[in-house]
Amino acid sequence: MATSRTRTRPPLAGALVYLESRKNLAGSACGLLGLALTFTGLAGPYWPFVVAGLYGAGALIAPPERSEAPCFPDPAEQLDALRADFATLRAYLETVELPPAAAGRTTELTNVLEALLDPGWAGGGLADDPEGMHTLARAIRQDIPESVDTYVRTRWWTRITPGTEPPERHLERQLDLLHREAEKLAAALHETEVRRQHTHTNYLQGRVSDGP
């Protein structure tokens, strides 16, 4: 029998949240005003309705509750997590037997990725490039593991169905494409650093030219 996994908030917890809400605080303040009118005799015999009405009015005019904005990991934390995933990927690749050509391409690719993740060099520029970080994360967490795992599974079937295209050819093409993508990312990060250097040079030249 299927069961629902929807979690409902306990009634007591919901009541406590409302007690601390702006609507209840504003309504209570207006309700106290109604009690003050009752004690002074201004509310008359209808004081329960006056108190309830003022409480409701205060709850209605109170500003709505503001939800807290979600807190996501900063770029430095994302890079640390990506480096940990890259270490996991390299450990996995060491357990897989690849043909020489594919193994060489894998080494070239992982060397570029390692350089991109180096905390002392390209890592700083990568943290300022969300698209680049997404590209790198996709390669490490999805593309490379899927390429290698698909090769391993296809190779097993090729043994019992000879005559088909060798799966290592597809693997080599995939690794070549991923290597080109990683080099393109590295070139873009390098270009960013070059522009930053030129900008700083122009700033210094302008500061000296405008000086006394």
Side-chain angles (χ1 to χ4, degrees):
M1 182 177 63
T3 58
S4 175
R5 296 186 177 180
T6 304
R7 295 184 177 180
T8 58
R9 177 182 294 176
L12 181 58
L16 291 176
V17 171
Y18 180 76
L19 287 176
E20 298 175 352
S21 67
R22 297 178 181 177
K23 289 185 175 296
N24 181 57
L25 295 177
S28 298
C30 291
L32 290 175
L33 176 61
L35 290 176
L37 294 176
T38 300
F39 292 144
T40 59
L42 296 177
Y46 303 102
W47 68 267
F49 301 100
V50 173
V51 173
L54 288 174
Y55 176 88
L60 287 175
I61 65 175
E65 296 293 327
R66 182 178 64 86
S67 301
E68 293 294 333
C71 181
F72 298 107
D74 60 28
E77 293 175 340
Q78 295 180 33
L79 274 175
D80 289 340
L82 195 54
R83 292 186 185 103
D85 291 340
F86 178 64
T88 301
L89 174 64
R90 298 195 75 165
Y92 161 71
L93 294 175
E94 292 176 357
T95 66
V96 181
E97 182 181 353
L98 299 176
R105 286 174 170 80
T106 301
T107 300
E108 294 173 355
L109 174 58
T110 53
N111 286 342
V112 176
L113 298 180
E114 183 178 17
L116 287 171
L117 289 170
D118 189 296
W121 296 96
L126 188 62
D128 298 329
D129 184 2
E131 290 297 328
M133 190 178 299
H134 172 71
T135 298
L136 193 56
R138 182 178 56 193
I140 293 173
R141 295 168 176 164
Q142 177 181 338
D143 294 333
I144 300 176
E146 183 174 347
S147 295
V148 174
D149 182 65
T150 302
Y151 160 75
V152 172
R153 289 186 284 110
T154 307
R155 180 183 60 181
W156 184 87
W157 284 104
T158 303
R159 294 175 180 176
I160 60 177
T161 56
T164 58
E165 184 178 13
E168 54 266 24
R169 292 183 183 175
H170 284 284
L171 177 61
E172 291 168 10
R173 293 173 195 159
Q174 293 166 7
L175 293 173
D176 282 339
L177 291 171
L178 290 171
H179 186 264
R180 286 167 54 188
E181 185 179 53
E183 287 189 325
K184 183 178 179 180
L185 175 58
L189 292 174
H190 173 255
E191 181 63 25
T192 299
E193 295 299 331
V194 169
R195 288 199 302 268
R196 183 178 301 172
Q197 185 183 39
H198 289 173
T199 299
H200 189 57
T201 299
N202 293 334
Y203 161 72
L204 293 176
Q205 289 176 341
R207 191 174 70 183
V208 171
S209 299
D210 296 338

